[in-house]
Amino acid sequence: MSGPITGYCPDNFRSVNGGAYNDVSRAQRLIASGNYAQADGVLTNLVGRTSSRQVRFLKGVARLGLGDATGARRYFEQSLYRGRNGYPGAMSGLALAEIRLGNRDAAQDILGKLRNQQEKCGSDCDRAKPLDQAIAVVEKALA
């Protein structure tokens, strides 16, 4: 599934455990259908209840969809790192937020990091498809 803002792919994150799972699924559906305000409300409740990076990523997507690039950047930064590699969806979301804030150089830097990860990953690693999607989203936004 690919969303309209960041090339969002639910496979980029593990599911949130516990009762929050249904709310996360609901937020994903709302984002996929473009209902950012409703998704943002659901996610606001979740942010206080979990430290999940997935929830923060989705909150970033919702904020970006609502035109709040500053808020989106904050949530994408909170969801960014997995070990030494950034989540491709979070990185592309952060790049889009930077573009909307007028920071094209920062977005170019993020694109370079994505390309570097792609080069190291190759075409057969588990991150290949999300990296390809993230790079395409950022390249299109910068064009």
Side-chain angles (χ1 to χ4, degrees), residues 45-129:
N45 292 328
L46 287 173
V47 165
R49 294 185 354 223
T50 179
S51 61
S52 166
R53 289 187 181 143
Q54 180 185 21
V55 169
R56 279 148 183 78
F57 169 76
L58 292 171
K59 181 77 170 171
V61 174
R63 296 309 307 166
L64 197 60
L66 291 170
D68 177 10
T70 301
R73 176 172 56 187
R74 181 177 66 247
Y75 287 107
F76 286 132
E77 286 174 341
Q78 292 174 6
S79 68
L80 194 57
Y81 293 102
R82 178 177 110 190
R84 293 165 65 189
N85 295 315
Y87 286 109
M91 291 178 74
S92 64
L94 181 58
L96 292 177
E98 294 293 0
I99 291 167
R100 292 189 184 177
L101 291 168
N103 303 325
R104 291 182 63 83
D105 289 343
Q108 287 283 4
D109 184 55
I110 293 166
L111 179 59
K113 290 176 182 176
L114 285 166
R115 287 180 176 152
N116 186 39
Q117 285 185 33
Q118 183 185 47
E119 185 178 309
K120 289 179 182 178
C121 173
S123 62
D124 60 348
C125 82
D126 63 337
R127 294 167 41 92
K129 185 176 177 181

